[in-house]
Amino acid sequence: RLSDALHERLTKRFVDRRTSVLMKRLRENAMLEAEISVNGDVFVEGHAMGQLAGFRFTPISGMEGPDAKAVQAAAYKALALEFEARAARLHASGNNDLAIGSDGLVRWLGDPVARLIGTDHILHPRVILLADEQLTGMARDHVAARIERFVNHHISTVLKPLDDLSRAEDLQGLAKGLAFQLVENLGVLFRRDVADDVKTLDQDGRASMRRYGVRFGAYHIFMPALLKPAPAELITLLWALKHDGLDKPGYGDLIPVLAAGRTSVVTDPSYERMFYKLAGFRFLGKRAVRIDILERLADLIRPLLQWKPGSPARPDGAYDGRRFTTTTAMLSILGATPDDMEEILKGLGYRADSISAEEAAAFLAAHTGSAPTQAAANEKNEDDSVDDADQ
């Protein structure tokens, strides 16, 4: 107890001395000497005052009342020139000095200087400056303008295909409407949701959209260039900002899966389902499959449904022109088991037929003289017509 009391007395004497020195210098209206360490620790007249991160000063903890006010007053007076100097450096800084984090914060050389919030236009979030009131006037305006310029540049660069499509002036009629929907849905539309528009869209309209990197797949209308980790991460962030999704389960957890090159993943029922789509995956029950891989699956299925009994050269997996059997190639590209495959195909609009391996072998032997490699047969249940140019 004696030791603790002695420590408290010494600390109080030190604080009182520091406060009296600083108050005297402030009354004298003297130019206070400030020093800032590489870690942002602030010292005024040799006294530790707190920490400066970006444009926000945090006084040392454990101070209350007049002491805290004296510390802040002395620190802000000493830091006045530093705020202006930092504003000038940020205004002149390159884009590599700034970054947008998955938490929605904009950082300059590692320190948070702004945060983003969602707006009605998902590609243009609002920038909120993180700075003390001591950053004022032209200095504050320059900082805000530079950060906004960086944010707009970053989004238009990382999401260039989407940004270009949103600004396209040569699209007309249905093509323009589909492009608008594609931008609003951040680069992916389920084909069945826009089936009527796609059927009505003429070849010139499709060609004009393809020039912007749009692909008309069997199951999706999408932009393959966005199915990469950097665009997917930014797309997920922009959606989360608009829909208060930063704290929703699964936020950001699917980007490493995409970066690892996984073609499918076991789904987590606790995750916000939208995060799968934003990361480029189609949620199909117990598994989610990458959108471009599902289109490769469609490329494998299409010739199987085009083959007719009696025709020569039966492709592996072809059955009777309206059904097919799953093949090793299908399982391989999806990284799925036969049970997974059945659920995936059902999610795409197919149904499973109860045909034994013996029945399938007998049918094919009667029609082609060969037997299938898989026992399960599937029948298509929706229109999967694809443009010849997209096959």
Side-chain angles (χ1 to χ4, degrees):
R1 288 197 299 271
L2 180 61
S3 176
D4 289 343
L6 179 60
H7 175 74
E8 183 179 348
R9 292 285 297 274
L10 289 173
T11 300
K12 187 176 186 304
R13 185 173 7 172
F14 172 79
V15 171
D16 289 344
R17 180 176 178 276
R18 176 186 58 190
T19 303
S20 64
V21 170
L22 293 176
M23 292 296 286
K24 179 181 179 182
R25 298 283 283 165
L26 285 172
R27 285 194 298 270
E28 295 172 352
N29 201 26
M31 179 64 70
L32 298 174
E33 182 180 346
E35 179 184 352
I36 303 173
S37 72
V38 292
N39 296 324
D41 297 319
V42 177
F43 298 87
V44 177
E45 299 290 325
H47 299 290
M49 309 295 283
Q51 190 167 58
L52 181 64
F55 297 94
R56 293 189 298 183
F57 173 71
T58 304
I60 57 176
S61 60
M63 295 195 64
E64 299 177 355
D67 289 346
K69 292 180 180 179
V71 167
Q72 288 185 352
Y76 280 126
K77 181 175 181 180
L79 292 173
L81 294 178
E82 176 64 19
F83 270 69
E84 292 188 6
R86 286 193 172 201
R89 291 199 301 273
L90 189 151
H91 186 252
S93 64
N95 288 325
N96 290 336
D97 292 336
L98 291 154
I100 299 176
S102 59
D103 53 3
L105 293 178
V106 181
R107 289 176 169 82
W108 173 52
L109 300 176
D111 289 333
V113 290
R115 64 182 174 89
L116 304 180
I117 61 173
T119 65
D120 291 338
H121 197 315
I122 199 165
L123 294 181
H124 298 285
R126 184 182 172 194
V127 176
I128 303 297
L129 199 60
L130 300 179
D132 292 337
E133 295 179 356
Q134 282 66 28
L135 182 65
T136 59
M138 291 294 292
R140 192 180 189 92
D141 293 342
H142 284 163
V143 168
R146 179 66 186 94
I147 295 174
E148 288 184 4
R149 209 161 55 243
F150 162 73
V151 170
N152 292 334
H153 174 269
H154 182 75
I155 293 174
S156 63
T157 300
V158 177
L159 303 182
K160 188 178 187 305
L162 206 58
D163 185 65
D164 289 345
L165 187 64
S166 71
R167 302 172 186 272
E169 298 181 355
D170 58 333
L171 300 180
Q172 303 295 327
L174 278 175
K176 187 173 182 179
L178 269 175
F180 176 80
Q181 292 185 65
L182 199 56
V183 172
E184 287 292 298
N185 285 272
L186 297 171
V188 176
L189 288 171
F190 295 141
R191 183 163 179 146
R192 66 188 180 197
D193 293 340
V194 290
D196 292 339
D197 289 342
V198 173
K199 288 179 180 178
T200 308
L201 187 64
D202 59 26
Q203 290 300 320
D204 289 340
R206 299 183 188 211
S208 66
M209 292 187 70
R210 290 193 194 100
R211 286 195 292 270
Y212 287 94
V214 177
R215 181 182 173 191
F216 292 82
Y219 312 121
H220 312 89
I221 313 300
F222 68 110
M223 308 185 81
L226 299 178
L227 302 181
K228 298 177 180 178
E233 183 175 23
L234 184 54
I235 282 172
T236 302
L237 170 63
L238 293 176
W239 182 89
L241 291 174
K242 184 175 180 180
H243 297 90
D244 296 324
L246 292 178
D247 296 325
K248 291 184 177 180
Y251 172 70
D253 291 335
L254 295 167
I255 305 305
V257 176
L258 182 64
R262 298 277 299 278
T263 58
S264 69
V265 62
V266 176
T267 56
D268 188 324
S270 69
Y271 284 6
E272 163 65 47
R273 186 173 294 191
M274 186 65 178
F275 290 147
Y276 286 97
K277 181 184 176 183
L278 297 170
F281 290 85
R282 175 79 173 262
F283 187 96
L284 296 167
K286 294 180 181 179
R287 292 195 78 83
V289 184
R290 223 168 61 200
I291 288 170
D292 55 337
I293 297 300
L294 288 176
E295 297 304 334
R296 286 178 56 189
L297 175 65
D299 293 340
L300 293 177
I301 293 174
R302 193 174 300 111
L304 308 187
L305 295 176
Q306 292 172 345
W307 180 84
K308 303 300 180 185
S311 301
R314 182 183 72 87
D316 183 27
Y319 190 73
D320 61 3
R322 66 187 185 92
R323 288 174 291 185
F324 60 92
T325 61
T326 56
T327 65
T328 302
M330 295 179 192
L331 297 174
S332 177
I333 64 169
L334 267 65
T337 66
D339 289 341
D340 292 334
M341 192 71 188
E342 181 175 339
E343 188 165 0
I344 289 169
L345 288 170
K346 285 181 178 178
L348 293 173
Y350 298 88
R351 65 180 176 82
D353 276 353
S354 299
I355 299 176
S356 68
E358 291 76 12
E359 289 178 292
F363 175 86
L364 288 174
H367 290 81
T368 67
S370 61
T373 58
Q374 298 286 337
N378 299 276
E379 182 177 18
K380 191 161 175 42
N381 201 13
E382 67 176 43
D383 177 20
D384 273 348
S385 59
V386 184
D387 309 303
D388 291 340
D390 290 321
Q391 292 185 17

